[in-house]
Each structure stands twice: as structure tokens, then as C-alpha cells.
């Protein structure tokens, strides 16, 4: 008996030893084959775009023209998981990728019946077949088993189930449960009912004969058969089965939604992922798209064919609406062009930032007075929109009336490099690229920007002067705030731009009664090609562009009359009857009394006083220098200086000082002003400073004159208030004497020409120009 036991024990040990060797050999063979034949598990998914609620709002086919939307793990509901496993592979979580019992049973069934009656494919094997499709034969089945083992070795069960749900075919070019649920039921897979899941699960077995929308009765019949089987296996409760059995099936193949096409394409091109989660609020998006489409339709008779809109939520800094054109599918004016991302001339839309920067530098305040008269900066002579001059104006008036000349003067005062660097901080790409080419004209639109950039920049005024880059997607959250202007400067700008008594308020607009209070700025590009209107309050910043993608200008096109009505319509829709409070003054913004004629701190001679915002320790404390006491003769015809004043026979009188540029404007417009009498002709003292300023010709310029009909050049200068006569010299030869402000003409010689102007105080200014005679 002992001998028999020993023999048996030896045999068992020998068997175990051999079995261990076989197992080790199989493992080694598996690792060798796994190294030689690696698993091809790269899956290309359709790019899908979702809104802020996670709903699919756009999607793109894969390169092999399949709808293969990726089902994320959190979209696999317990109901979906339970149903699929109960139908396809009830031992999924128990086997290693191959179910030996099912495989053996299927093998003998197929042998005895001499045909394929059972496949015994596990979920893992079906994934392997989907990754590498082959003809259905024994060799392919063996490869599937090997690939299934590879999958089980590399992934956990939930990942394999996810891959199955992403690859299972549902007829036509639809693959994956998410694609099927979107195209057949218009919902995400985690919202599917038991009846819908079961109906979908039977299609992969017979995709040609069970087609949603065509064979719904047969699908219901097959679905109910499986539901009863689930009931028999007690997979679900009786109540769940009863509800599923009576649920109707009205599904048919639909189309993938194609909302926000411009933004979707832009993000797909830049992010290159299979899931793009945007911050778009679909309801607001659709309302805005309808407003834009209807509005542009009314403008087509004026040959205005397109518009674009960007809306930013100022509290979250998310882009909640993005309209690239009035109609994406309209080819008449390039509807597929993304107008929100197109580089265009910004018109006057950069002026608010310029003035805010000037406030911060202590150069200006809202009530500071500047002169709106003709200027010339080395050949650059800007003009106002209406080609008129306004004389003395406040900064406040200059901004809300969008005057060009005060803006150019302010940029000259600030320095264009300061403005450029601030715009670069606000992610203005084209300005960064062209920064070395830009000049004073940039403040009037002589640069390139996009609606996205401008809308983002204006949002800083709603955030105490802090710029936070607009966020297009959910995971785009790492944006640090950049302080562009102070809270005080932002508040001053807000107060100016929120006034409604201004020329860019749209004509015939009567819907402001319930409209939320907003601040806004308009702009019109050169040639009337682009109309801009960008507005904001505490809740939203809305940017509007209107024009033609073809670049054709329209005589009626302007930011005030074309873009602003659409801006107001949008605010009336998205923020109607808002009770949101307006911006409040920050701690570093205070009010002081200033002279209304200069905007400076008043003195005893200032009779017109007004209130003005200022920034303590930043804004200038210069006292008003608008008046000066002059010594004059009793008949008030001669003025004296300290060097020539007589011992007696004179008196003192206060005169309002007027600069040379304003003197010229007063003379041109025949407006009387306080003139200081001519200086004592017997005075031998030569005054320093305040020499005549020659505005034309421009110093250092080259002039081409026709040989056949030479046109004379104009001589123009600006002088101090105490100058009566000026004397012109050409190439050091006396040419002509005239009254101050009087224009003269002369025909120059060819070559370099020196022009001199001397006033009656002996002060002189020289310039040099080059003259060429050509055949014109």
C-alpha cells in the first residue's frame, strides 16, 4: 500500500513538474510572440465638440470616414455596463480574455453540425477582431485569441469594455455606442434607457437586416426577446423589464449637430484632440446666431453681407458665444470664413486703452483740455471722421466723440511703444508681429487686430483693468491676470463710454428702456470696410464686427449706424432688464475741482470750475496757466517786456493765452480771441523760445513738382500769441513779410531748399526740404 502511494505521489509530482514547465514555456512563448507581434491598439476617434453642459454640438469624421466617437469611462452607466455584459459575455470579469468552456462547447457544436453555429467570442476577442478585421476562419479565431490575451495583459477589464463600446459596429459608418446613441437617439450613452440599450446591442449581430428607422418592428421583436431572456435570468427586476417591453422605438438615423462651425474648426486645428469641451452656452449661441442672421438679411440691400460676434462672460472669462459669420453655408460672401479670427483694421477701437494709459501716466484726466486742430507729424496729417476741427475739447469729449486728432496727440504724448507693449500683453498677435512697422496711425486703425483680441481687451475694463485671456475650453484655466491699467483708469474710461448722449448712438434706436446699462466703443476702418462696436457691463463683454469678407467698402458702413444696433440687440437678448449694479469708484479714484478751460488745478483767475476724476499722487497737480499779466501802453496797442518797459506811461492787463495752433484755428474760423498787442518795435531784446513752428512744408521731406505745370508750395507757420508779423526767407534770401497766420506760396528751385521763418521778436526757425522736378 505504501509502495503504491509512493508511486502515485511520484507520478503526481512528475505531472505537476511537467505542467509547470509547460506553463512557463507557454508564458515565455507568449512574451516572445508579444514582442515579435505587438498589439496594434491605436484607435482613431472622431473629434467631438461639446458645450458647457457636455452635450455634443459638433463632430468630425475619422480619416476612414467613420463616426467613431469615444465613450469615456464616466459615460458608461451601470445600466449600460450591466446590459452589455449580460448579453455579450456574462463571464467577462472572470475569464482571461478567452472563455475555455464556451470555446470548447462551440468547437464540438460546430464539429457535430458541420457548420458554424456558435462563435464563443468574448468581449475581449470582439475587441481584437475590431482592431484587426479578418476573414472568419479557424486561423483568424486563433489570432483573435492571442490578441485577446495581449489585451488582457495590457489593459484592465473596464478599459477593454470601453474599447468594445467604442468599436462595436452599428451599421453603415457608425461605430461605438456613443456614435449610435447620438445619431439614433440624439443623446449621450449615459442617458439611454434599458430598451434603447438592448435595441442597440442587437444591431452588431445583424447590421444589414436590422437598420434603425427601416426595420424598427423587427428590432423591437428581437429586443423584446432579449428582454424576456434577461427576465428569465433575473438580470433586471420585473418592473424594469415591463417598462422596457412597452417602450416604443421611434429611432431613425439623424445627423450629427454642426453648431459653432467656425470655433469647432479653429479648436480642432489647434488642439488636435478627440474631445474638445468648450464653454459655449448653446442657448445663448443659438439666439445670437439668429439675431446675426436676421440682422444681416436686413443689411443686404446696403451691400453689407456679413457679421461676427464674440461674447465673454466677465465673471468667468469664458467665451460663451462665438459667431464667425452670418451663415456658415452661405457662399455669397464666404460664409465659412471665420470673421471673429480674421485680421482687420480696428478703426478707433483702441482709443479707450490709449486714454486709460494716459490717465495712469498722469498725462491726462477726463476733463483735461486738448486742442483739436490741424497737425502734421513729419508728413502724417490725421483728420477727424467728419473732416472738421473742434478747437479746444476735453479728453472726455474726444473719446465719446471719437475724435482722431486728440487721440494722435495723446499717443505722441504717451509714446507708441507703451501702447504696443500693452497690446502685446493682451495677446494681439499681428501687432506683436508688426510692432517695428507701427506708427502714430495705429491709434486710428493703422494696424491689424481680430474681433477675438479686441473683445478680450475690452473685458479688462470690466475687471478693474486686469486682462485675463478669454477661455475657449473647460481645461483652459491657467490664465494669470495681467494688470494693464489701474482700477481708477478703468473706472474713468467706463464712465466716459457709458454716456448715451454721443454721436455714435445709433439713429432710430428706441429699445433702450429695458436695455442694461453698458459702456461701448465704435470703430470704422479706412475705406469703410469694417464696422466695429464693442460693449461691456459687469456681466458680459460683447464684440461685434459687420462688413464684407470680400473687403468691399460700403458708403453707409460705420460702427455707429451698422454695428452698434446689432450690439444693442444682443445685449437686450442676453442681459434683458438686468438689475446688475454698475461699476463703483475704486479707492484710488477721487474727485477734484478743475478749471473747465484747461482741466488744470484752478487759480484765482479761473471763473469756470467743474469736477473731474483724478488719481492721487499720479495725476498732474499743475496749476492753470491760462492767463498772463502783460504790460501794455495806455491805448493797448503796444506790449512791453521787462527790458523795454518805460518808467511810466504803461499799465498792466491780464490776457488769456492762446497757443499758435489755436490762433490759426480761430483765424480760419473767424472767431475772435484775446490778442496780446504787438511788442514794442523799439525793443532791442531778442526773445528765446517759442520760435515760429513751420507746419508746411514738412522738415526733411521730398517734394516732386511737375516740369510742365509746376504748382507752388504753401508756407504755413504757427506762432505765439504775442506775434503780429513773420518774415520768410528761402535759401537765406528774404522772400516776403506777412501777418502771423497768413498763408504764402512760392515756387522753389530744384535741389535742397532751406526755408526760414522769423517772427517780430527775432525768434527764428529753419527747415530743409528736397525738391525734384519730374515729368508727371
Amino acid at each position: 500500500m505504501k509502495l503504491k502511494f509512493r508511486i502515485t505521489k511520484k507520478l503526481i509530482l512528475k505531472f505537476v513538474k511537467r505542467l509547470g514547465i509547460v506553463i512557463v514555456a507557454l508564458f515565455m512563448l507568449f512574451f516572445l510572440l508579444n514582442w515579435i507581434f505587438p498589439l496594434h491598439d491605436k484607435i482613431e476617434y472622431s473629434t467631438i465638440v461639446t458645450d458647457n453642459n457636455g452635450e455634443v454640438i459638433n463632430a468630425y469624421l475619422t480619416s476612414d470616414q467613420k463616426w467613431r466617437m469615444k465613450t469615456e469611462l464616466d459615460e458608461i452607466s451601470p445600466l449600460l455596463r450591466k446590459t452589455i455584459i449580460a448579453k455579450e459575455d456574462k463571464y467577462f470579469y472572470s475569464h482571461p480574455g478567452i472563455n475555455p468552456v464556451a470555446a470548447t462547447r462551440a468547437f464540438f457544436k460546430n464539429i457535430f453540425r458541420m457548420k458554424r453555429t456558435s462563435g464563443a467570442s468574448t468581449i475581449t476577442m470582439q475587441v481584437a477582431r475590431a482592431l484587426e478585421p479578418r476573414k472568419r476562419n479557424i486561423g483568424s479565431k486563433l489570432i483573435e485569441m492571442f490578441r485577446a490575451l495581449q489585451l488582457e495583459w495590457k489593459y484592465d477589464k473596464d478599459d477593454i469594455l470601453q474599447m468594445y463600446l467604442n468599436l462595436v459596429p452599428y451599421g453603415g459608418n457608425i461605430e461605438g455606442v456613443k456614435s449610435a446613441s447620438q445619431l439614433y437617439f440624439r443623446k449621450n450613452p449615459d442617458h439611454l434607457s434599458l430598451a434603447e440599450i438592448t435595441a442597440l446591442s442587437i444591431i452588431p449581430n445583424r447590421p444589414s437586416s436590422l437598420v434603425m428607422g427601416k426595420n424598427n418592428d423587427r428590432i423591437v421583436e428581437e429586443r423584446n426577446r432579449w428582454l424576456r431572456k434577461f427576465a428569465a435570468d433575473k438580470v433586471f427586476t420585473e418592473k424594469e423589464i415591463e417598462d422596457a417591453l412597452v417602450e416604443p422605438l421611434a429611432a431613425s438615423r439623424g445627423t450629427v449637430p454642426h453648431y459653432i462651425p467656425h470655433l469647432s474648426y479653429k479648436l480642432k486645428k489647434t488642439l488636435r484632440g478627440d474631445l474638445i469641451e468648450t464653454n459655449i452656452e448653446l442657448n445663448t449661441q443659438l439666439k445670437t446666431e439668429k439675431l446675426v442672421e436676421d440682422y444681416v438679411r436686413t443689411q443686404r440691400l446696403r451691400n453689407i453681407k456679413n457679421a461676427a460676434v464674440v461674447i465673454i462672460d466677465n465673471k468667468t472669462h469664458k467665451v460663451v458665444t462665438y459667431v464667425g459669420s452670418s451663415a456658415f453655408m452661405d457662399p455669397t460672401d464666404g460664409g465659412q470664413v471665420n470673421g471673429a479670427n480674421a485680421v482687420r483694421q480696428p478703426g478707433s477701437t483702441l482709443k479707450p486703452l490709449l486714454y486709460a494709459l494716459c490717465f495712469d501716466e498722469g498725462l491726462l484726466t477726463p476733463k483735461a483740455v486738448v486742442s483739436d486742430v490741424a497737425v502734421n507729424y513729419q508728413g502724417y496729417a490725421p483728420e477727424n471722421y467728419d473732416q472738421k476741427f473742434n478747437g479746444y475739447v476735453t479728453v472726455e469729449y474726444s473719446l465719446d466723440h471719437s475724435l482722431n486728432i486728440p487721440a494722435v496727440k495723446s499717443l505722441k504724448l504717451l509714446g507708441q511703444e507703451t501702447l504696443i507693449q500693452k497690446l502685446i500683453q493682451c495677446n494681439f498677435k499681428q501687432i506683436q508681429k508688426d510692432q517695428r512697422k507701427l506708427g502714430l496711425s495705429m491709434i486710428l486703425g493703422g494696424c491689424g487686430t481680430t474681433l477675438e483680441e479686441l473683445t478680450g481687451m475690452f473685458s479688462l475694463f470690466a475687471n478693474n483693468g486686469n486682462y485675463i485671456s478669454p477661455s475657449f475650453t473647460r481645461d483652459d484655466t491657467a490664465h494669470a491676470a495681467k494688470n494693464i491699467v489701474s482700477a481708477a483708469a478703468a473706472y474713468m474710461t467706463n464712465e466716459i463710454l457709458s454716456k448715451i448722449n454721443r454721436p455714435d448712438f445709433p439713429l432710430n434706436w428706441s429699445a433702450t428702456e429695458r436695455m442694461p446699462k453698458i459702456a461701448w466703443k465704435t470703430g470704422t476702418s479706412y475705406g469703410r470696410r469694417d464696422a466695429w462696436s464693442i460693449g461691456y457691463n459687469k456681466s458680459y463683454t460683447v464684440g461685434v464686427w459687420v462688413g464684407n469678407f470680400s473687403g468691399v467698402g460700403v458708403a453707409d458702413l460705420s460702427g455707429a449706424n451698422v454695428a452698434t444696433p446689432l450690439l444693442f440687440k444682443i445685449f437686450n437678448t442676453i442681459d434683458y432688464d438686468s438689475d446688475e449694479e454698475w461699476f463703483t469708484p475704486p479707492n484710488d479714484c477721487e474727485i477734484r475741482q478743475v478749471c473747465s478751460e484747461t482741466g488744470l488745478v484752478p487759480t484765482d483767475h479761473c471763473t469756470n470750475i467743474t469736477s473731474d476724476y483724478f488719481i492721487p499722487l499720479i495725476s498732474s497737480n499743475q496749476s492753470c496757466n491760462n492767463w498772463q499779466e502783460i504790460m501794455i501802453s495806455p491805448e493797448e496797442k503796444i506790449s512791453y517786456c521787462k527790458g523795454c518797459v518805460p518808467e511810466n506811461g504803461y499799465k498792466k492787463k491780464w490776457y488769456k493765452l492762446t497757443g499758435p495752433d489755436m490762433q490759426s484755428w480761430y483765424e480760419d474760423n473767424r472767431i475772435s480771441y484775446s490778442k496780446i498787442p504787438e511788442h514794442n518795435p523799439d525793443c532791442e531784446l531778442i526773445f528765446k523760445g517759442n520760435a515760429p513752428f513751420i507746419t508746411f512744408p514738412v522738415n526733411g521731406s521730398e517734394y516732386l513738382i511737375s516740369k510742365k505745370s509746376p504748382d507752388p508750395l504753401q508756407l504755413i507757420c504757427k506762432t505765439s500769441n504775442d506775434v503780429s508779423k513773420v518774415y520768410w526767407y528761402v535759401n537765406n534770401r528774404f522772400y516776403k513779410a506777412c501777418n502771423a497766420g497768413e498763408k504764402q506760396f512760392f515756387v522753389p528751385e530744384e535741389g535742397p531748399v532751406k526755408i526760414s521763418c522769423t517772427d517780430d521778436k527775432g525768434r527764428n526757425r529753419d527747415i530743409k526740404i528736397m525738391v525734384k522736378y519730374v515729368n508727371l
Side-chain angles (χ1 to χ4, degrees):
M1 190 73 180
K2 282 185 177 181
L3 181 62
K4 189 175 181 179
F5 176 75
R6 287 175 182 171
I7 294 173
T8 304
K9 187 176 180 181
K10 277 186 176 183
L11 289 173
I12 292 173
L13 290 173
K14 191 175 182 180
F15 174 76
V16 170
K17 185 177 180 182
R18 288 179 177 177
L19 181 63
I21 293 172
V22 170
I23 292 173
V24 171
L26 288 174
F27 265 102
M28 293 179 66
L29 178 63
F30 172 76
F31 287 126
L32 178 63
L33 292 175
N34 186 53
W35 179 69
I36 297 173
F37 304 104
L39 183 66
H40 301 294
D41 55 355
K42 299 298 181 184
I43 304 172
E44 180 191 0
Y45 292 107
S46 298
T47 299
I48 61 175
V49 183
T50 63
D51 66 3
N52 64 326
N53 293 320
E55 298 295 326
V56 176
I57 56 176
N58 209 327
Y60 295 88
L61 289 164
T62 59
S63 59
D64 57 351
Q65 300 302 298
K66 299 283 189 181
W67 287 117
R68 190 184 299 118
M69 303 180 192
K70 186 177 182 180
T71 305
E72 301 294 341
L73 285 172
D74 58 3
E75 293 180 306
I76 303 175
S77 65
L79 180 63
L80 176 61
R81 182 192 307 269
K82 189 176 181 180
T83 306
I84 293 300
I85 289 175
K87 180 181 180 299
E88 294 295 330
D89 188 358
K90 65 177 68 176
Y91 300 107
F92 173 68
Y93 283 100
S94 304
H95 61 66
I98 303 170
N99 187 335
V101 176
T104 303
R105 183 177 64 247
F107 174 78
F108 284 109
K109 276 187 178 181
N110 295 339
I111 289 293
F112 291 139
R113 299 183 184 182
M114 300 302 292
K115 64 179 181 179
R116 184 180 178 278
T117 60
S118 178
S121 290
T122 63
I123 285 178
T124 313
M125 290 171 66
Q126 292 183 60
V127 172
R129 183 165 63 245
L131 289 172
E132 297 179 8
R134 289 184 174 83
K135 290 184 178 180
R136 306 289 287 274
N137 53 45
I138 294 177
S140 297
K141 183 66 69 175
L142 293 174
I143 294 174
E144 284 176 19
M145 290 180 177
F146 171 67
R147 293 301 191 194
L149 293 173
Q150 286 181 299
L151 285 166
E152 294 279 347
W153 179 260
K154 186 173 182 178
Y155 298 101
D156 62 29
K157 288 291 187 178
D158 287 341
D159 290 334
I160 294 172
L161 179 61
Q162 181 188 16
M163 293 174 73
Y164 170 79
L165 292 173
N166 285 326
L167 293 170
V168 61
Y170 285 100
N173 65 340
I174 302 176
E175 290 186 4
V177 69
K178 186 164 186 171
S179 301
S181 62
Q182 284 290 336
L183 287 163
Y184 292 138
F185 297 105
R186 286 80 172 170
K187 61 176 75 172
N188 282 335
D190 53 347
H191 295 162
L192 293 173
S193 67
L194 174 60
E196 291 167 340
I197 294 171
T198 308
L200 284 178
S201 68
I202 63 176
I203 293 176
N205 303 110
R206 298 157 60 186
S208 58
S209 60
L210 297 177
V211 180
M212 283 279 190
K214 292 183 179 179
N215 312 112
N216 282 9
D217 291 341
R218 296 174 62 184
I219 293 174
V220 169
E221 182 181 338
E222 186 69 10
R223 178 200 73 182
N224 291 348
R225 184 177 72 82
W226 272 100
L227 287 171
R228 294 187 185 96
K229 189 174 187 307
F230 292 155
D233 294 341
K234 298 187 181 305
V235 178
F236 299 101
T237 64
E238 291 184 8
K239 176 67 169 133
E240 289 174 323
I241 296 296
E242 288 175 5
D243 292 342
L245 286 169
V246 298
E247 185 175 316
L249 179 65
S252 61
R253 175 160 180 168
T255 57
V256 173
H258 287 291
Y259 300 119
I260 58 166
H262 298 94
L263 181 60
S264 295
Y265 181 76
K266 168 188 163 77
L267 295 178
K268 178 178 181 289
K269 189 176 179 181
T270 54
L271 299 181
R272 301 184 181 278
D274 50 52
L275 177 62
I276 301 173
E277 298 176 294
T278 73
N279 296 317
I280 294 296
E281 295 176 1
L282 189 57
N283 187 40
T284 305
Q285 174 77 25
L286 296 179
K287 287 180 180 179
T288 306
E289 285 182 3
K290 186 69 168 61
L291 284 173
V292 171
E293 183 179 5
D294 292 346
Y295 182 76
V296 170
R297 189 181 298 116
T298 66
Q299 301 298 312
R300 287 187 177 271
L301 292 176
R302 302 163 71 180
N303 200 32
I304 300 171
K305 300 177 181 177
N306 243 307
V309 175
V310 173
I311 302 178
I312 298 173
D313 185 321
N314 288 331
K315 295 174 181 176
T316 63
H317 315 293
K318 296 177 179 179
V319 176
V320 296
T321 296
Y322 191 101
V323 181
S325 70
S326 60
F328 184 76
M329 301 307 295
D330 184 0
T332 57
D333 190 53
Q336 296 185 19
V337 173
N338 186 354
N341 196 40
V343 177
R344 325 270 314 179
Q345 289 185 350
S348 298
T349 54
L350 299 180
K351 290 176 182 176
L353 180 60
L354 166 66
Y355 287 117
L357 292 172
C358 288
F359 297 157
D360 274 340
E361 292 295 323
L363 302 173
L364 299 170
T365 59
K367 293 294 174 63
V369 174
V370 294
S371 58
D372 177 26
V373 295
V375 292
N376 193 304
Y377 294 105
Q378 296 183 333
Y380 175 54
E383 294 181 338
N384 287 324
Y385 184 78
D386 59 4
Q387 297 184 329
K388 296 179 181 179
F389 304 114
N390 297 275
Y392 285 128
V393 293
T394 63
V395 167
E396 183 179 63
Y397 183 93
S398 300
L399 180 53
D400 66 34
H401 282 66
S402 197
L403 300 180
N404 291 341
I405 293 172
V408 174
K409 285 185 173 182
S410 299
L411 182 57
K412 181 72 173 176
L413 191 65
L414 174 71
Q416 64 200 44
E417 188 60 30
T418 300
L419 178 62
I420 289 171
Q421 292 307 314
K422 291 293 184 179
L423 290 171
I424 291 174
Q425 283 186 266
C426 294
N427 296 331
F428 279 61
K429 302 299 184 185
Q430 192 64 35
I431 285 179
Q432 182 176 19
K433 182 179 178 181
D434 298 337
Q435 57 182 305
R436 294 184 179 179
K437 306 176 186 177
L438 300 176
L440 295 175
S441 64
M442 67 177 293
I443 197 58
L444 307 184
C447 57
T449 62
T450 69
L451 182 63
E452 289 180 17
E453 294 168 348
L454 285 171
T455 309
M457 184 270 284
F458 269 81
S459 69
L460 70 85
F461 292 108
N463 289 282
N464 293 318
N466 295 314
Y467 173 79
I468 300 174
S469 181
S471 172
F472 289 98
T473 58
R474 286 192 192 182
D475 55 358
D476 185 19
T477 56
H479 295 294
K482 303 174 187 176
N483 183 253
I484 305 300
V485 298
S486 67
Y491 177 76
M492 294 179 196
T493 307
N494 297 343
E495 289 299 287
I496 297 172
L497 295 180
S498 60
K499 298 179 184 296
I500 62 174
N501 185 22
R502 45 196 265 200
D504 61 351
F505 192 87
L507 300 173
N508 302 320
W509 180 263
S510 59
T512 56
E513 182 181 354
R514 310 288 290 190
M515 182 175 161
K517 183 177 181 180
I518 66 169
W520 82 96
K521 181 71 185 76
T522 61
T524 307
S525 69
Y526 178 77
R528 295 178 181 266
R529 295 181 176 92
D530 308 279
W532 305 87
S533 190
I534 305 170
Y536 59 92
N537 58 13
K538 277 195 168 184
S539 300
Y540 298 102
T541 298
V542 179
V544 172
W545 171 87
V546 181
N548 294 311
F549 291 146
S550 62
V552 174
V554 179
D556 292 340
L557 191 76
S558 72
N561 293 328
V562 175
T564 302
L566 179 55
L567 175 77
F568 285 6
K569 287 176 183 287
I570 292 170
F571 263 109
N572 256 356
T573 300
I574 66 174
D575 205 26
Y576 179 73
D577 198 18
S578 173
D579 57 358
E580 184 76 48
E581 293 182 358
W582 189 244
F583 303 100
T584 55
N587 294 331
D588 60 344
C589 182
E590 297 184 8
I591 298 176
R592 68 182 178 186
Q593 299 296 307
V594 296
C595 174
S596 63
E597 296 180 5
T598 61
L600 301 176
V601 177
T603 60
D604 295 339
H605 296 281
C606 298
T607 55
N608 299 315
I609 307 298
T610 188
S611 297
D612 189 18
Y613 290 111
F614 78 107
I615 307 175
L617 304 179
I618 298 294
S619 299
S620 173
N621 287 321
Q622 181 183 350
S623 297
C624 180
N625 54 3
N626 204 29
W627 293 83
Q628 183 177 344
E629 189 178 44
I630 305 293
M631 295 174 288
I632 60 174
S633 62
E635 67 277 11
E636 299 185 2
K637 291 184 177 180
I638 296 176
S639 61
Y640 302 105
C641 65
K642 291 181 180 180
C644 67
V645 61
E647 293 183 4
N648 50 48
Y650 73 93
K651 64 180 183 179
K652 294 181 179 180
K653 183 178 179 180
W654 285 91
Y655 282 88
K656 185 177 180 181
L657 300 180
T658 305
D661 54 351
M662 281 303 299
Q663 287 183 55
S664 177
W665 183 77
Y666 283 140
E667 297 287 348
D668 291 342
N669 290 273
R670 298 180 180 179
I671 299 174
S672 62
Y673 63 96
S674 177
K675 295 182 180 179
I676 299 175
E678 180 183 358
H679 191 69
N680 180 13
D682 297 327
C683 181
E684 296 180 356
L685 182 66
I686 295 179
F687 291 81
K688 295 181 178 180
N690 296 323
F693 181 76
I694 301 173
T695 58
F696 198 87
V698 178
N699 187 30
S701 298
E702 183 179 77
Y703 292 88
L704 303 180
I705 299 178
S706 173
K707 289 182 178 180
K708 293 182 179 179
S709 56
D711 292 324
L713 290 180
Q714 195 173 30
L715 296 173
I716 307 174
C717 72
K718 294 178 180 179
T719 63
S720 298
N721 195 19
D722 58 348
V723 174
S724 299
K725 283 188 173 294
V726 294
Y727 304 89
W728 291 98
Y729 297 82
V730 178
N731 288 332
N732 297 321
R733 294 193 300 270
F734 176 74
Y735 175 67
K736 187 176 288 187
C738 63
N739 294 326
E742 187 178 339
K743 297 173 183 176
Q744 300 296 321
F745 296 87
F746 81 110
V747 178
E749 298 175 356
E750 187 169 17
V753 178
K754 177 183 176 183
I755 300 172
S756 306
C757 183
T758 305
D759 65 19
D760 53 15
K761 304 294 184 297
R763 297 170 295 202
N764 181 73
R765 179 92 60 182
D766 298 330
I767 67 166
K768 290 183 179 180
I769 64 172
M770 178 62 69
V771 175
K772 289 184 179 180
Y773 280 82
V774 295
N775 294 316
L776 295 177

